[in-house]
Amino acid sequence: MRSSAFAFGAVAGYAADALFGDPRRGHPVAGFGRFAGALERRLYRDHRGVGAAFTLAAVGSVTAAAALAQRATRRRPAAHAALAAAATWTVLGGASLTREARVIADALERGDVEAARERLPHLCGRDPSALDAQQLARAVVESVAENTADAVVNALTWSALAGTPGLLAFRAVNTLDAMVGHRNPRLIRFGWASARLDDVAGWPGARLTALLAVAASEDRARTWRVWRRDAAAHPSPNAGHAEAAFAGALGVRLGGTLQYGARTEHRPVLGAELRPVAVADVERACRLSRRVGALALTATVAVALLRGAQK
């Protein structure tokens, strides 16, 4: 009964994200960010051990609260489903991801490169000041691929593996990585544990994203080939799987030189034999992201129901 309630709640939360996007006010993730920021200011030391304690305290508090809430609703199916729905809606970011991508694509289609540059920081951390229309479109497609794994598939994967606590713990880990997992002098030691934990937490969903992209692709052989050949060349242990699979599925070339403020990265090209990204590919990437998300939801529901049947 609990598994059925959780599965129903996951579907309802996914539907809420698709229909309404992120909650407009009082977003729990923003609340967690404020809590983590206050904790960081209190605990900060330029030390890996202190950073690990910070990560444990921040993630552990969310996980414990979610576990208590799940336990409190275990004999009340409606409350159990409502908890799963609220958590799923809170954590997923698929609708916001595709909305932001389409806003930038609309600006590029109008020829308004400046508007697209101004909007890009809403989607990723790259410096847009010197990017032309084609480079902006490539940045958007790469961000859609990477964030499909982070904001949708990984979240659903952890909900399938560990219910609501797993779902919220993953979002806490991912949020901490965005806050302190940066390679700068202040955070390189303090944020080390958060960054490494995010790599571990993102491992299963990144590979599942690639597999689902293969399943959702119109050219499965090409998608599989580019994914398996090029994913490991990416500097991230996880993002390369989603980006390489999306490159193969869309038939476009991703990777190359990236600018993050004063820092320049020269990344390997994914799908080198394919054509460059065009503005129209942003919409194709958004549609692929939604198909991958729907397949991930199907897998989540199937796993939840199977776990319930085995008890």
Side-chain angles (χ1 to χ4, degrees):
M1 181 66 75
R2 289 201 307 269
S3 297
S4 298
F6 178 83
F8 180 83
V11 172
Y14 185 94
D17 176 67
L19 291 172
F20 308 117
D22 290 333
R24 296 291 184 182
R25 294 182 180 179
H27 199 302
V29 174
F32 171 76
R34 290 190 293 272
F35 161 71
L39 190 63
E40 178 197 349
R41 290 189 294 273
R42 188 175 183 86
L43 297 180
Y44 176 80
R45 300 288 186 280
D46 187 18
H47 190 278
R48 281 188 177 185
V50 177
F54 160 75
T55 302
L56 179 63
V59 176
S61 62
V62 171
T63 307
L68 288 172
Q70 182 166 273
R71 182 177 179 82
T73 61
R74 69 187 187 279
R75 299 187 187 281
R76 294 180 290 162
H80 199 75
L83 176 66
T88 303
W89 183 25
T90 294
V91 168
L92 293 186
S96 296
L97 171 64
T98 54
R99 182 179 64 243
E100 289 295 337
R102 283 166 172 152
V103 168
I104 298 170
D106 288 345
L108 291 175
E109 287 172 355
R110 297 194 308 269
D112 193 344
V113 174
E114 282 303 318
R117 287 173 178 161
E118 290 177 6
R119 197 73 185 184
L120 187 65
H122 290 254
L123 195 62
C124 65
R126 298 182 197 177
D127 180 1
S129 59
L131 300 183
D132 60 23
Q134 192 278 325
Q135 292 167 328
L136 287 163
R138 192 194 92 196
V140 173
V141 170
E142 289 171 353
S143 295
V144 168
E146 181 178 358
N147 286 296
T148 296
D150 274 346
V152 182
V153 180
N154 255 312
L156 291 171
T157 297
W158 281 103
S159 74
L161 293 174
T164 298
L167 181 67
L168 294 178
F170 171 76
R171 179 51 63 219
V173 170
N174 197 238
T175 302
L176 288 186
D177 179 59
M179 293 177 64
V180 302
H182 305 295
R183 293 183 178 178
N184 64 44
R186 180 179 181 274
L187 296 171
I188 194 166
R189 282 179 284 273
F190 182 80
W192 178 86
S194 292
R196 298 291 77 76
L197 184 58
D198 185 65
D199 287 342
V200 172
W203 195 95
R207 282 117 186 114
L208 180 59
T209 299
L211 283 171
L212 296 179
V214 172
S217 173
E218 295 178 356
D219 190 333
R220 294 186 179 92
R222 182 183 66 201
T223 306
W224 176 269
R225 182 181 71 251
V226 175
W227 167 39
R228 300 307 299 159
R229 184 191 67 200
D230 295 345
H234 196 284
S236 166
N238 295 322
H241 290 270
E243 290 186 26
F246 267 61
L250 298 171
V252 299
R253 185 166 63 243
L254 300 178
T257 301
L258 305 175
Q259 190 73 32
Y260 293 91
R263 179 167 58 92
T264 301
E265 289 189 13
H266 300 286
R267 294 183 179 177
V269 174
L270 310 176
E273 73 278 18
L274 304 176
R275 64 173 174 80
V277 175
V279 174
D281 293 315
V282 173
E283 178 58 32
R284 296 178 61 232
C286 289
R287 292 200 299 268
L288 177 61
S289 176
R290 301 304 284 180
R291 293 197 298 273
V292 168
L295 289 172
L297 176 67
T298 302
T300 297
V301 170
V303 170
L305 295 176
L306 181 62
R307 288 171 58 197
Q310 292 175 340
K311 292 181 180 179

